[in-house]
Amino acid sequence: MPQSFDRFAAPEAASGEPDVGIRSASVSTLAAVLVAFAPVHAVAQEAQANQGVQDRPRPDYDPLGRRIGGFTLQAGVNLFAGTNDNVFATETNEQDDMEFSVNPYGSLDSNWSRHALSFSAGANFNRFQDFDSENTESSYIGTYGRLDVGRDSNVSASLRLANETEPRTAPDAGGLAEPVEYQRREAQIGAEHTINRFRLSGVIGTNDTDYDGLGQSFRDRTENYVGGRVAVAVSPRLQVLGDVRFDEREYDSAPALNSDGRTIAAGVRMNLTGLLSGEVTVGQFEREYLNDKVDGVAFAGNVQWFATPITTVTLRGRRDVEETGASGAATYIASDMGVRVDHELRRNIILSGGIGRIQREYEAPTDREDEATYADIGVEYLLNRRVALETRYDRFDNSSDGLDRDRDFEVNRFTVGVKIRL
């Protein structure tokens, strides 16, 4: 889902504080020569140079947390109230209602000079004034650890358990009697090693998803995967990337959706001081099902443009193949692209807005194509280290075509809230 409709999703980290300087032509030429032969460690150092509006430190307003031995505890609760003009995301007979959310969360992170260990947990309680059937509860708990093996190598592991709810704006979710709940268990082991200008990394992991509700058990699945990346430092501000991923999806009671997937991609990670920061990869995906094969162009990207010292523009996109929800054993190619602008009106007043487009192209024999646009605009006012106010407007507009079309609908939400932090 787009960030605007995932109210309490943690913002993605970005890098960036602009580094402005004026050099003579001769000095620039010499620097360019030296940069070309710089080791990969320089890239990691430069990655701290840029920071977007949402991610930069604000010493007067950032919560301090609480030190507990070698750890720092961060915790808080978000309280929101608002209106929803199409609670069930239906094509006709739209129903509106008041919506209330409570989102407690916390994390415990080590502050050691080497190695790392963190724990996190949170929940979201969503309530409607009139439609009790739409009340939902979700929660998660996770841990991450990293062991630094010497200066150039590390191994890591993560585990996450979550109870989640599928939003009404998801494909096929509008006509169900109640929102679909599911449990997700994720585990991953990774390793990374640096050799001069080469950084090698790999992961192996598993995701297990179990759905609740009548007629949803066919969606229960387990996905096992392995992936690797090679990053070559062309300069301290530019890396060339090569990615590969193999996975196996196995459904408990829908063998037609069992598949083996492969994705091979290449791209760049950039950190052009004061201008651009992020990475883009483009490649090919293939997914082989029992009676079908789907392939196409895969891409993924997240790039920040530092338009001014107080304005950050974020471009993101992805394209891959997915399986459908309640409509049966069907697959579709999903493309999601969006742009977001964050502006620091004052040090403690942040304006933000975004717009994006999702396209789902269903494979034969399903005759269906969905296209959705989403947008949001909002303002956050940081009162002090412990309290922040936020107001936001979100819109989601979906259209569906074909013999097996789903539904056309619009959802508009307006929320106001307060964030209380430790």
Side-chain angles (χ1 to χ4, degrees):
M1 285 300 298
Q3 182 178 339
S4 60
F5 271 71
D6 190 2
R7 164 59 57 194
F8 303 111
E12 293 181 359
S15 35
E17 191 92 54
D19 178 17
V20 180
I22 301 176
R23 299 179 175 88
S24 66
S26 59
V27 172
S28 298
T29 302
L30 177 59
V33 173
L34 294 175
V35 155
F37 294 95
V40 73
H41 302 292
V43 179
Q45 296 169 358
E46 287 291 334
Q48 306 301 319
N50 300 330
Q51 281 189 315
V53 168
Q54 291 285 359
D55 309 299
R56 65 185 50 162
R58 295 177 173 82
D60 295 333
Y61 298 98
D62 289 338
L64 297 177
R66 181 163 298 178
R67 292 290 295 267
I68 303 176
F71 291 82
T72 299
L73 173 66
Q74 298 282 358
V77 60
N78 302 322
L79 308 172
F80 282 92
T83 61
N84 186 324
D85 72 348
N86 192 358
V87 174
F88 300 94
T90 56
E91 188 168 10
T92 60
N93 192 31
E94 297 93 340
Q95 301 291 324
D96 63 273
D97 201 358
M98 292 290 295
E99 187 176 357
F100 307 92
S101 297
V102 179
N103 166 225
Y105 65 90
S107 66
L108 188 65
D109 304 301
S110 65
N111 45 44
W112 311 328
S113 59
R114 297 182 70 244
H115 316 303
L117 182 62
S118 65
F119 305 90
S120 61
N124 182 39
F125 304 94
N126 205 58
R127 295 291 183 268
F128 286 86
Q129 179 173 286
D130 297 327
F131 297 104
D132 294 344
S133 64
E134 299 306 294
N135 294 345
T136 60
E137 301 172 1
S138 60
S139 60
Y140 69 90
I141 184 170
T143 183
Y144 168 82
R146 190 193 73 241
L147 179 65
D148 297 326
V149 184
R151 175 186 173 189
D152 301 322
S153 304
N154 68 73
V155 293
S156 61
S158 63
L159 178 66
R160 188 175 188 271
L161 308 176
N163 296 304
E164 301 179 357
T165 303
E166 202 168 59
R168 284 293 189 177
T169 52
D172 307 298
L176 301 178
E178 58 185 23
V180 175
E181 298 179 353
Y182 60 96
Q183 292 78 47
R184 188 172 179 86
R185 296 172 289 276
E186 305 173 1
Q188 179 176 287
I189 298 174
E192 186 178 90
H193 180 63
T194 301
I195 307 174
N196 195 17
R197 292 194 295 158
F198 294 83
R199 178 174 296 162
L200 311 176
S201 59
V203 296
I204 183 172
T206 183
N207 298 324
D208 188 69
T209 307
D210 293 327
Y211 286 82
D212 298 332
L214 183 64
Q216 295 296 312
S217 60
F218 82 96
R219 302 174 65 184
D220 296 351
R221 77 180 191 186
T222 299
E223 178 178 1
N224 300 311
Y225 62 89
V226 60
R229 163 173 284 192
V230 178
V232 183
V234 178
S235 79
R237 297 177 182 172
L238 181 66
Q239 297 180 51
V240 176
L241 309 175
D243 288 342
V244 61
R245 175 187 165 103
F246 300 91
D247 67 69
E248 180 184 61
R249 295 177 183 172
E250 182 174 346
Y251 283 76
D252 293 350
S253 56
L257 290 179
N258 291 347
S259 65
D260 295 321
R262 296 175 292 279
T263 303
I264 299 175
V268 295
R269 175 184 290 171
M270 68 195 85
N271 192 355
L272 309 180
T273 308
L275 295 176
L276 295 173
S277 178
E279 72 174 53
V280 177
T281 60
V282 179
Q284 182 81 7
F285 68 78
E286 283 187 3
R287 185 158 295 279
E288 294 187 6
Y289 295 90
L290 184 63
N291 301 312
D292 193 16
K293 177 180 177 180
V294 181
D295 56 21
V297 176
F299 64 79
N302 193 313
V303 176
Q304 287 192 320
W305 170 39
F306 307 102
T308 74
I310 58 173
T311 303
T312 304
V313 180
T314 303
L315 305 172
R316 60 168 186 78
R318 61 171 291 275
R319 187 174 191 263
D320 205 347
V321 61
E322 300 290 346
E323 287 88 37
T324 190
S327 64
T331 62
Y332 61 88
I333 297 175
S335 303
D336 186 356
M337 300 188 68
V339 59
R340 185 163 198 83
V341 179
D342 297 296
H343 178 73
E344 198 175 65
L345 185 64
R346 293 193 176 184
R347 194 66 172 169
N348 64 327
I349 302 178
I350 303 170
L351 308 179
S352 62
I355 188 170
R357 175 178 176 270
I358 301 172
Q359 186 176 25
R360 304 183 187 95
E361 303 172 77
Y362 284 74
E363 296 295 306
T366 302
D367 179 23
R368 172 179 166 186
E369 183 171 330
D370 294 353
E371 184 174 310
T373 58
Y374 55 89
D376 75 280
I377 186 170
V379 58
E380 184 178 25
Y381 179 31
L382 307 175
L383 294 177
N384 51 49
R385 295 185 188 276
R386 301 193 183 278
V387 181
L389 305 178
E390 181 180 277
T391 181
R392 188 166 300 277
Y393 165 74
D394 301 297
R395 176 182 174 85
F396 194 94
D397 189 342
N398 186 80
S399 63
S400 184
D401 296 313
L403 295 176
D404 302 309
R405 67 181 296 274
D406 179 33
R407 67 202 193 278
D408 297 344
F409 65 87
E410 298 174 1
V411 178
N412 296 277
R413 297 170 64 228
F414 177 77
T415 58
V416 294
V418 57
K419 301 178 178 180
I420 303 172
R421 305 169 292 186
L422 181 66

